[in-house]
Amino acid sequence: MKWRHSRHEISDDEQIARYAYVLGNVPASVADLAYAAAFQRLPAAQREQIVSELRTQLPAGSVEAVRDDPEAFATLMRDLHARQAIVTVPGAAALAAAFVTSPPIVVYFTSGAGSVSIDQQPPWLHELAGHETAPIDGGRISHHKGPDVLGI
């Protein structure tokens, strides 16, 4: 039986919270790939706006190499100051959503190391990974799988 969850609009704050959760639960190598993929998925005007806003918040020169280069953006996002600043710029929620739904994140939680712990992840991450959460049966269903071979 497939459960249907009603789709609701996710607030900007929730997008940022999901981004922070995922960022804290993936290795740096996966985060690098996700930043590059997320930055590339954004429209050019939005990328330029994000880079422009970051220029005002970070030391001179640290953002200059980014321009429209997804790999340079991923490298910039290794810096904790950049990560802290990114959540305050206009367009942060769109970047956060693109990060969370990026192919590297989805692969990590569907077939990568994150798939091992998917049962302990929040329901929205289950949906992202295409993992169905089994309903809790409250002990009403027998989980006994056949004859008692051991005689216990």
Side-chain angles (χ1 to χ4, degrees):
M1 173 180 208
K2 194 167 194 136
W3 292 92
R4 300 264 174 184
H5 298 283
S6 61
R7 297 277 179 209
H8 65 281
E9 195 66 28
I10 300 170
S11 71
D12 289 355
D13 289 341
E14 179 65 18
Q15 291 288 15
I16 300 295
R18 288 179 178 193
Y19 154 77
Y21 180 85
V22 169
L23 183 60
N25 284 282
V26 298
S29 59
V30 174
D32 284 350
L33 295 171
Y35 277 122
F39 191 71
Q40 189 167 5
R41 290 169 68 186
L42 295 177
Q46 201 165 22
R47 289 192 303 260
E48 180 58 38
Q49 180 185 17
I50 288 171
V51 170
S52 176
E53 289 291 328
L54 283 175
R55 279 191 188 110
T56 65
Q57 295 187 33
L58 297 175
S62 62
V63 186
E64 295 307 314
V66 174
R67 301 208 192 281
D68 209 17
D69 181 16
E71 285 75 26
F73 181 78
T75 301
L76 172 68
M77 296 313 296
R78 291 178 188 160
D79 180 70
L80 293 178
H81 296 293
R83 287 185 182 179
Q84 186 176 14
I86 196 69
V87 298
T88 65
V89 302
L95 178 67
F99 179 90
V100 169
T101 60
S102 68
I105 298 298
V106 173
V107 167
Y108 179 78
F109 285 107
T110 55
S111 59
S115 65
V116 174
S117 67
I118 193 68
D119 288 335
Q120 287 77 41
Q121 302 299 334
W124 58 265
L125 204 47
H126 290 212
E127 289 177 19
L128 176 71
H131 178 76
E132 275 192 47
T133 305
I136 298 173
D137 63 19
R140 293 186 301 264
I141 297 176
S142 172
H143 295 283
H144 187 63
K145 299 221 187 274
D148 189 1
V149 185
L150 299 175
I152 299 175

